[in-house]
Each structure stands twice: as structure tokens, then as C-alpha cells.
Amino acid sequence: MQFEEIDLYEKLDGIVAPSKYALEGYFDGNSPVRARLDHLLINKFHSVVTGVNLKAASRQENYRTHINPFGKKYIVGYFGRFNEQKGFDRYLKLVKALEKETNIQFVCAGAGGIEVGSDNYKNLNNLGWIADDIAEYMASVDLIVAPNRVCYFDLAILESLSLGTPVVASAVGGNKYFSRFAEGVYLFESDVDLAETVLATLSNLPARAVVQTMYNENFSTERFYDNHQQLAIDLLNQP
């Protein structure tokens, strides 16, 4: 299937993705096919940075109280699938590593194959699967962790930024794109660095308005539209 897929790509006039970093996970483990894709990206790649808004949500105190019943200073959250690809096991290790940090409340919301035992993680509030008011919960935390092992261009990060919530993310795939920004997304290289990056970010949290401004200037629906228009102009002007 991989060879059939790359055969198709080689017949195309162009490949569009948010960034070249977003394609890192494609054909992982198949060096010959990956080499063919890298060759295509030299001349056929076009970048159109995407964006996605969650419904408008304010930082409501009743949501903070629900997930932080003891009124701790900071709330750190994970929102997504409970699996290794998304790095949920990394998040659980983070909770364990920082269990003596009495000013931090950890929270997670989602579902998947990795079980969360409340007895094992006494400082973790597991909200389970949330369908309706996920935006309110994501807006209520101080920091979101996205510890993916593999990712394309993670929508959870964009959703968080649209709400003004900063993110600590693994330096893989499309996450690397955010290294160009001074505030909003803070990358970690390895599991050893995760706890340190979280603590450093909490000690110097950016203003939520600054995070939202960065999002609106780079990832809003209007900017997404402008990016597509620019792509059309560039293609029409090609010889």
C-alpha cells in the first residue's frame, strides 16, 4: 500500500500540507519510500498553514472549581486520546514525577487504551470523555500538555491557542512549526525535559490575550483563507 501511495504522489503536480514538519511521520520505517517522498517535496511541496477555532469560551470559575476542588495555584491538562501515539503515557509519567508539587492540579479528558487508576495518580482528576463543553474545560486550565510521539499538525494545539491557553508540546512532526513563535507553544525534546519545561512555563506563563493574538495573526479562519488565496496566486504565476 505504501508503494501504491507514493506512486500516486509522484503523478501529482503538487502536495499541500501545513508544513514540511507535518509530513515527518509519513512512511516512517520505510526508508526507500520515504526517500521518494523527500525528493517530491523539493519541487512539489506547497505550505498552507491551517487553523481551527473552538467555540468561544470564557474562563469560567465554575469549571476551574470542578477540576481543581482544592484551589491549587496551577492547573495542567491533557485533552485527547489515551494512547501512546498521543503520548498519554508520557503525561501520566509527568503526573508521577511532579506529584510532590503541591501547587499543581493535573487533569485529563478523553478515552483510549491506557487505563487511568485513581489510586495510582492521586493528584490527577480524570474527567473521562467530554463531548459538549470541552472548550470551557480547555479554557479553564493554565497549561495544556501535548506529548505526541507522532503527529501531523495537531488540532488540539490550535484549539488550545484559540482559547488563549498555552501548550507544552513534544518537538515532533508539525509541532516543530511552532518553534518560530516566542510565546504560546513551548517544545520539549525528550521525556527527561518534559517536567522541567512544564515547571519553567508555569513560572512564566504568557498572558492569555498574547496567546490569542498570536493565534489570530497566524491561524485564524481569515488567515487560512488568505493562505489559500496566496497558494492560488503562486500556482497561477508558475511558468
Side-chain angles (χ1 to χ4, degrees):
M1 290 295 295
Q2 288 185 336
F3 280 102
E4 290 186 13
E5 186 174 359
I6 196 66
D7 287 345
L8 173 62
Y9 289 162
E10 289 178 335
K11 296 175 183 176
L12 301 177
D13 294 313
I15 298 173
V16 179
S19 77
K20 287 187 177 181
Y21 297 126
L23 300 176
E24 281 189 356
Y26 277 62
F27 309 121
D28 185 34
N30 191 330
S31 298
V33 178
R34 178 68 212 190
R36 290 170 64 185
L37 177 63
D38 288 338
H39 179 72
L40 293 178
L41 297 182
I42 295 173
N43 297 314
K44 293 189 177 184
F45 177 77
H46 304 282
S47 176
V48 178
V49 180
T50 187
V52 56
N53 290 354
L54 277 184
K55 63 178 182 179
S58 60
R59 202 179 199 206
Q60 301 177 31
E61 193 59 36
N62 59 314
Y63 284 94
R64 285 185 66 83
T65 301
H66 175 63
I67 61 179
N68 184 25
F70 302 109
K72 297 181 179 180
K73 185 176 182 179
Y74 301 113
I75 309 175
V76 176
Y78 173 98
F79 298 87
R81 296 193 298 276
F82 292 178
N83 61 30
E84 292 185 356
Q85 179 176 336
K86 286 291 185 179
F88 184 59
D89 57 317
R90 284 176 161 176
Y91 184 70
L92 294 180
K93 290 179 181 177
L94 171 70
V95 175
K96 275 289 189 183
L98 299 182
E99 62 183 357
K100 293 183 179 180
E101 297 287 337
T102 57
N103 61 344
I104 303 176
Q105 173 65 58
F106 291 94
V107 62
C108 61
I114 298 178
E115 297 291 335
V116 183
S118 58
D119 293 338
N120 298 326
Y121 305 96
K122 300 185 184 302
N123 196 27
L124 176 62
N125 190 345
N126 180 15
L127 303 176
W129 181 257
I130 298 175
D132 297 327
D133 44 6
I134 186 66
E136 285 74 13
Y137 282 108
M138 293 178 74
S140 71
V141 305
D142 298 297
L143 180 67
I144 287 176
V145 178
N148 317 64
R149 284 187 172 83
V150 179
C151 74
Y152 178 63
F153 207 72
D154 200 329
L155 296 183
I157 294 178
L158 295 174
E159 290 169 345
S160 303
L161 299 178
S162 75
L163 298 168
T165 305
V167 182
V168 166
S170 52
V172 298
N175 292 354
K176 293 180 180 179
Y177 179 85
F178 295 98
S179 63
R180 67 187 61 198
F181 301 107
E183 294 182 291
V185 181
Y186 307 91
L187 302 181
F188 69 93
E189 295 287 344
S190 67
D191 291 2
V192 176
D193 302 326
L194 175 54
E196 181 179 339
T197 305
V198 167
L199 291 175
T201 304
L202 289 176
S203 69
N204 189 28
L205 284 169
R208 302 182 72 85
V210 170
V211 176
Q212 285 183 306
T213 297
M214 183 273 280
Y215 174 86
N216 291 331
E217 290 177 351
N218 296 279
F219 305 105
S220 66
T221 303
E222 292 77 15
R223 186 59 186 268
F224 191 32
Y225 172 77
D226 291 341
N227 292 340
H228 274 285
Q229 274 202 320
Q230 187 60 52
L231 172 63
I233 292 171
D234 293 342
L235 292 176
L236 289 172
N237 289 332
Q238 281 187 355

